[in-house]
Amino acid sequence: SAVISQKPSRDICQRGTSLTIQCQVDSQVTMMFWYRQQPGQSLTLIATANQGSEATYESGFVIDKFPISRPNLTFSTLTVSNMSPEDSSIYLCSVADVDRGTEAFFGQGTRLTVV
Amino acid sequence: KQEVTQIPAALSVPEGENLVLNCSFTDSAIYNLQWFRQDPGKGLTSLLLIQSSQREQTSGRLNASLDKSSGRSTLYIAASQPGDSATYLCAVKGNYGQNFVFGPGTRLSVLP
């Protein structure tokens, strides 16, 4: 299995500010994803982080609001920009690798509260 | 577009009972299906992964089956324990594209 370290684990932020979440994996992986889980809801995919190129965003999510970086095969960041209370959610980093049957692994998540 | 549903939404059972959680998906062209558990406010822990060519997978007291043609998977938990209390999510990965589609989850409470 892959071990994923996600930071911070939680934060309380003022509206209008930005927060960058980091995801570090203990081995190289082909696929990295960012999900959002709103209170009481299931997971919604924000984007696929592509190494060395722009992320692929799902419908309803845009780069200006959720810029993503992936400089190498073990690290990615997600920024939540110009935050509002509606952005309060758990944000989850996930990885999968074709050499491991594309089994998905998750970080422990970042619980974000915007006040 | 793939859609995943889970029944029941919530389940409460006394300790020691065997139970079954259900997952259904609309597009049978899947690459694999995975079951996760999520404790409140935490990330997801992978329980079982079933490739599309497989019928079932077992790990300890857990057994997951897959019937791709009917778009269904079940997670069987034997001799349930209070520590099994969590939300259980299933997710499917299609043959096309890289991402997983998640169901809404089943919230399980096992009472001592």
Side-chain angles (χ1 to χ4, degrees), chain B residues 49-90:
Chain B
L49 171 72
I50 310 178
Q51 301 293 349
S52 63
S53 59
Q54 298 174 324
R55 298 279 299 181
E56 66 177 337
Q57 283 286 338
T58 298
S59 175
R61 294 182 294 108
L62 305 179
N63 175 276
S65 67
L66 174 64
D67 184 343
K68 200 171 67 168
S69 61
S70 68
R72 293 181 182 178
S73 176
T74 61
L75 179 66
Y76 176 82
I77 302 177
S80 58
Q81 303 171 357
D84 295 330
S85 298
T87 297
Y88 290 79
L89 296 141
C90 72

Side-chain angles (χ1 to χ4, degrees), chain A residues 19-96:
Chain A
L19 175 71
T20 295
I21 303 167
Q22 298 182 359
C23 178
Q24 178 74 55
V25 192
D26 67 339
S27 58
Q28 294 184 346
V29 292
T30 52
M31 294 173 272
M32 294 184 80
F33 308 97
W34 287 98
Y35 289 87
R36 180 175 73 182
Q37 187 176 31
Q38 295 177 301
Q41 303 294 315
S42 189
L43 279 71
T44 301
L45 180 66
I46 298 172
T48 301
N50 300 309
Q51 191 247 334
S53 64
E54 189 172 293
T56 304
Y57 290 84
E58 297 298 302
S59 175
F61 297 97
V62 295
I63 187 171
D64 289 346
K65 176 66 175 178
F66 298 101
I68 288 171
S69 77
R70 188 179 176 191
N72 56 52
L73 293 177
T74 63
F75 185 77
S76 178
T77 65
L78 167 73
T79 298
V80 186
S81 303
N82 188 25
M83 288 183 284
S84 66
E86 293 71 33
D87 295 320
S88 298
S89 295
I90 298 176
Y91 292 85
L92 294 144
C93 170
S94 175
V95 305

